[in-house]
Amino acid sequence: MAQKSHDKGSTGGTPLVTEPERVRNVVLVGHSGAGKTTLVEALLAATGTIGRAGTVVDGTTVGDHDPAAVRQQRSVSLSCAPLLHNGIKVNLLDTPGYADFVGELRAGLRAADAALFVVSAAGGMDAATVALWEECAAVDMPRAVAVARLDQPRADVDETVALCQRLFGDNVMPLYLPMLGDDGVSTEGLLGLITRRVFDYSAGLPADVRDPDPEHQRAIDESRDELIEGIIAESEDETLMDRYLDGEEISDEVLIDDLEKAVARGHFYPVVPVCAQTGVGLDVLLEVLTAAFPSPLEHELPAVTGVDGSPRPPLSCDPAGPLVAEVVKTTVDRHVGRVSLVRVFSGTLRPDQTVHVSGHGLAERGHPDHDADERVGHIYTPLGATLREVSFCVAGDICAITKSGSAETGDTISTRDEPLLIAPWEMPEPLLPVAIVARSRADEDALARNLARLVAGDPTLRLERNPETHQLVLWCMGEAHADVVLDRLRAGGVELDTEPVRVSLRETLTVPAKGHGRHVKQSGGHGQYAVCDIEVEPLPRGSGFEFVDRIVGGAVPHNYIPSVEKGVRAQLERGLVAGHPVVDLRVTLVDGKAHSVDSSDAAFQTAGALALRDAAERGQPALLEPIDEVSIRVPDGSVGTVLGDLSGRRGRVLGTEPDPDAEGRTLVRAEVPATELLRYAVELRSMTAGTGTFRRHFVRHDPMPTHLADQARKEQPA
């Protein structure tokens, strides 16, 4: 780590490694505005990967080069930026901090072997970051904390470290203390607690390393013992604590070695102050990333099966093993075409190699299961929008491939002879619907093409064509996600508008009624003649439709009775009052008349429909709305607010209980009309400071209140 070496130890150019042990895959996480992207660019500049922070050598922006990110002025997608430090390739996976783009965060976590939590020294901490820390803890992912933005006016490293310790729990300990400048505010250096050395950055990188003066020595001594005890407590040498308590001086080399092992195991979480603008701490952070974080060889790989679900042996991170890789992100570049970011878990991916691409398990989100053999063209290492060609990508590394005809986010790439399927990572369900409509027929064609590209790259986006409302609905993670999707569609040359989302309603009759249908026409030649009488009665919710034949004496010939039923069913689909399908009804055919010449199948279909419409005038029709059962997970402190809000949404609370998956959270179950949930994804986030989540599923239809039913009839499109 930084205590071992302080030279830059890095080279520019295109990093290329042949051994998994020389790779580190690190995902940067933290709330929006914490400084993740700025820190990535500063690390790239510090290692000579780019000329200066924010600009690649050829002038391309490294960080938020996506046009949607520029418009929203925040990261909206996962990006990969590799650098080389002391012979170690570090793939920095920068993720968006805003909750709407959690799908990009999930992809970054999947591709990484360790997580760097970036916390602003001036911005505090959001609850979503704490929840993510707990999620990483559940799978023992190694973690470290970078306290960033030291140059901000209200930056307070000590308070931020204390906050991290309070919220993240045990073994979150600083390796360095900030050294303030002469103004008593700005951070000009760091005090190394293990080596008891001063790292002075007042002249920039690399730091000037020297012995501390008496004042700095006192500050180091006050904090050093706690750090050393924390390191020794996690040591694999069980005698070390006794030796330390007996007064033995433990060497720096032993402490550093134990620290690195504890961090790699996910049992110790170092905190490093850094400043992208002044360079403070960048070199020591690089040492943490390369020396303490684990290589892919030390990280458990995802399970695999055959494409038919048959069991397969566990993977090993072996460049000579069978090829197994995963598409963690897919984008469509206007000039290059489809670009897929790929994490190789086993084997070696080479240009001109024929591979098998498999995608299974996301059909309900517009990603039909697919299998295809494709030839890999060129292989690249990505740096922002720049693709730099490489000759191979070994197990444990990350690369990009282009022009794949079928690869989508989440797909598995394996050998053609033995295709495999990697168990998919968990993706949140999109719950904010946005209805879109193209402005012209030409736009409809362009819209279809662009939607196919977007859905292929974003598994948190679900596309639905509602067969009842005839609306094209995009289900998004939130308003910011929806804005990005719409921006990308319009950037692709599509003129479109949004419209209010319509919920699929149902109709029924509430009281028994009789109906008479008479269809008689004489126009020369064969006429049309059919008469039928029906009785209609409502059924319990969820019963569907029943047709009963009680014809006696052949009043309606036997061969025309199915025609009456067919006509009734057709009218049920068309609706009776507001154009919605009719449900929970029993129709009984009790009488009728026929003509030996003029009666026909079509005539009795028409008569059946007329009889049902006649009965509806006396059957007191009612609108039914879908009721969803929702499972809401919120912090304990937000339960009262959520319950009050559910009451205002006409919800019926079924119960509350401690969340079995997370301490300090409550699971609320309720039944809520679907019409009240159209914007609940946004409003729940607002009520719970971004920490509330929910799932929903349809349970039944219930009568809609009269005033809302009247409003729905008025809003029904012609």
Side-chain angles (χ1 to χ4, degrees):
M1 298 177 67
Q3 295 87 344
K4 285 182 176 178
S5 173
H6 309 290
D7 63 309
K8 291 181 69 173
S10 58
T11 61
T14 303
L16 183 64
V17 293
T18 59
E19 303 165 338
E21 56 264 31
R22 305 193 74 81
V23 176
R24 304 291 184 270
N25 297 310
V26 181
V27 59
L28 282 78
V29 299
H31 63 82
S32 185
K36 299 183 297 298
T37 301
T38 306
L39 178 58
V40 167
E41 294 175 350
L43 291 171
L44 293 172
T47 55
T49 307
I50 60 176
R52 59 183 178 84
T55 306
V56 183
V57 175
D58 65 1
T60 305
T61 302
V62 173
D64 298 328
H65 55 83
D66 188 315
V70 175
R71 283 189 289 271
Q72 292 211 7
Q73 296 187 337
R74 59 184 165 201
S75 298
V76 301
S77 61
L78 171 70
S79 65
C80 180
L83 58 83
L84 202 62
H85 181 74
N86 288 342
I88 302 293
K89 179 184 180 184
V90 183
N91 291 311
L92 298 173
L93 296 157
D94 186 16
T95 64
Y98 196 65
D100 276 21
F101 309 106
V102 65
E104 304 289 329
L105 169 63
R106 298 287 174 196
L109 290 170
R110 176 64 159 218
D113 303 308
L116 179 65
F117 280 70
V118 181
V119 180
S120 171
M125 181 99 63
D126 68 343
T129 303
V130 179
L132 181 59
W133 181 276
E134 295 170 352
E135 185 178 326
C136 290
V139 296
D140 289 329
M141 175 172 273
R143 283 149 282 159
V145 179
V147 177
R149 296 197 179 280
L150 305 184
D151 57 324
Q152 296 299 302
R154 295 191 303 274
D156 189 330
V157 176
D158 293 338
E159 176 59 31
T160 304
V161 171
L163 178 67
C164 291
Q165 291 175 327
R166 186 167 67 251
L167 296 178
F168 291 161
D170 297 336
N171 285 349
V172 177
M173 296 186 182
L175 299 184
Y176 302 86
L177 300 178
M179 183 181 74
L180 300 181
D182 294 337
D183 58 5
V185 177
S186 60
T187 300
E188 292 190 354
L190 301 176
L191 307 179
L193 295 182
I194 293 181
T195 58
R196 289 172 282 208
R197 302 274 279 172
V198 171
F199 299 83
D200 188 348
Y201 296 88
S202 57
L205 284 170
D208 176 28
V209 183
R210 64 175 187 267
D211 292 329
D213 58 30
E215 181 181 354
H216 292 148
Q217 185 65 57
R218 285 193 297 272
I220 292 172
D221 291 341
E222 290 174 1
S223 301
R224 188 172 189 269
D225 288 345
E226 183 181 3
L227 171 63
I228 292 176
E229 289 174 8
I231 294 172
I232 292 175
E234 294 299 332
S235 174
E236 296 175 340
D237 184 351
E238 297 179 356
T239 69
L240 198 59
M241 180 61 78
D242 292 335
R243 290 158 48 196
Y244 174 73
L245 294 177
D246 288 341
E248 179 180 337
E249 181 74 17
I250 309 300
S251 70
D252 293 352
E253 290 74 15
V254 171
L255 291 173
I256 293 171
D257 187 59
D258 281 343
L259 170 64
E260 292 174 353
K261 291 177 180 177
V263 173
R265 294 197 310 270
H267 293 174
F268 192 89
Y269 319 105
V271 182
V272 179
V274 294
C275 184
Q277 300 300 327
T278 63
V280 170
L282 294 180
D283 49 355
V284 296
L285 178 60
L286 284 167
E287 291 293 340
V288 171
L289 301 183
T290 55
F293 274 168
S295 75
L297 294 172
E298 303 168 76
H299 193 242
E300 184 178 356
L301 301 184
V304 294
T305 65
V307 293
D308 58 355
S310 57
R312 290 292 190 274
L315 294 176
S316 62
C317 186
D318 181 3
L323 175 66
V324 181
E326 186 172 38
V327 179
V328 294
K329 179 179 175 59
T330 298
T331 57
V332 179
D333 185 270
R334 188 177 303 178
H335 306 291
V336 180
R338 186 172 295 196
V339 180
S340 298
L341 188 68
V342 175
R343 163 73 191 260
V344 180
F345 289 108
S346 172
T348 300
L349 187 63
R350 301 182 185 278
D352 298 323
Q353 183 177 4
T354 300
V355 299
H356 186 83
V357 180
S358 296
H360 294 257
L362 289 173
E364 74 280 359
R365 297 200 183 179
H367 300 256
D369 291 353
H370 54 275
D371 290 276
D373 289 338
E374 293 191 6
R375 188 178 69 85
V376 176
H378 300 286
I379 298 176
Y380 304 89
T381 182
L383 180 62
T386 302
L387 296 177
R388 299 172 295 174
E389 190 169 354
V390 293
S391 53
F392 55 82
C393 183
V394 299
D397 204 356
I398 295 173
C399 66
I401 61 175
T402 60
K403 300 180 180 178
S404 170
S406 62
E408 300 181 358
T409 300
D411 281 4
T412 302
I413 297 175
S414 56
T415 59
R416 180 174 55 176
D417 298 334
E418 187 181 0
L420 298 174
L421 192 65
I422 297 177
W425 67 82
E426 182 181 353
M427 275 294 175
E429 183 179 356
L431 293 167
L432 178 68
V434 179
I436 60 174
V437 57
R439 291 183 182 174
S440 68
R441 179 61 60 88
D443 287 321
E444 288 181 0
D445 296 336
L447 178 61
R449 291 192 301 271
N450 281 274
L451 280 174
R453 294 171 184 156
L454 287 179
V455 172
D458 188 354
T460 63
L461 179 67
R462 177 159 59 90
L463 178 62
E464 173 186 279
R465 171 73 73 174
N466 191 308
E468 296 175 17
T469 65
H470 306 294
Q471 286 187 305
L472 184 63
V473 179
L474 296 174
W475 288 84
C476 305
M477 296 302 302
E479 289 181 313
H481 185 210
D483 288 344
V484 168
V485 171
L486 296 176
D487 277 351
R488 288 174 175 164
L489 288 173
R490 292 177 176 126
V494 180
E495 295 290 333
L496 57 84
D497 296 303
T498 61
E499 61 182 8
V501 176
R502 297 190 294 273
V503 174
S504 300
L505 305 178
R506 296 290 185 270
E507 299 178 26
T508 193
L509 301 183
T510 58
V511 298
K514 295 181 179 180
H516 176 72
R518 184 175 185 273
H519 182 62
V520 178
K521 288 188 177 181
Q522 295 293 338
S523 56
H526 285 296
Q528 299 181 49
Y529 189 96
V531 178
C532 64
D533 292 285
I534 61 172
E535 294 178 352
V536 179
E537 57 184 311
L539 295 175
R541 294 290 162 260
S543 299
F545 169 68
E546 294 180 14
F547 183 83
V548 180
D549 169 22
R550 287 189 185 165
I551 291 294
V552 295
V556 175
H558 181 73
N559 58 309
Y560 290 136
I561 292 175
S563 303
V564 176
E565 180 180 358
K566 188 175 181 180
V568 168
R569 286 184 178 274
Q571 188 62 54
L572 292 174
E573 289 298 317
R574 291 192 294 268
L576 298 174
V577 178
H580 302 290
V582 183
V583 296
D584 302 334
L585 214 60
R586 177 185 292 127
V587 174
T588 303
L589 179 61
V590 296
D591 200 2
K593 294 180 181 179
H595 189 278
S596 59
V597 176
D598 293 341
S599 291
S600 65
D601 169 68
F604 271 100
Q605 286 188 46
T606 303
L610 291 171
L612 183 60
R613 287 157 58 184
D614 183 56
E617 296 179 2
R618 292 176 288 279
Q620 298 181 16
L623 280 184
L624 304 176
E625 61 181 343
I627 304 297
D628 286 0
E629 181 174 323
V630 295
S631 300
I632 312 166
R633 287 178 160 82
V634 296
D636 293 343
S638 301
V639 173
T641 302
V642 169
L643 292 178
D645 178 76
L646 288 173
S647 176
R649 296 177 189 274
R650 300 183 288 127
R652 183 171 71 92
V653 177
L654 303 177
T656 62
E657 60 188 69
D659 189 341
D661 299 326
E663 186 177 350
R665 295 174 68 84
T666 298
L667 172 63
V668 179
R669 294 185 302 108
E671 291 182 347
V672 186
T675 52
E676 302 285 350
L677 294 173
L678 293 178
R679 291 186 52 79
Y680 194 60
V682 176
E683 289 151 355
L684 176 64
R685 184 179 298 162
S686 175
M687 285 185 284
T688 62
T691 61
T693 62
F694 78 105
R695 293 182 179 273
R696 58 187 285 189
H697 67 272
F698 168 79
V699 287
R700 65 179 181 279
H701 283 90
D702 275 355
M704 181 178 270
T706 302
H707 69 286
L708 295 177
D710 292 341
Q711 181 180 345
R713 292 188 182 101
K714 293 177 183 178
E715 294 174 352
Q716 180 68 18

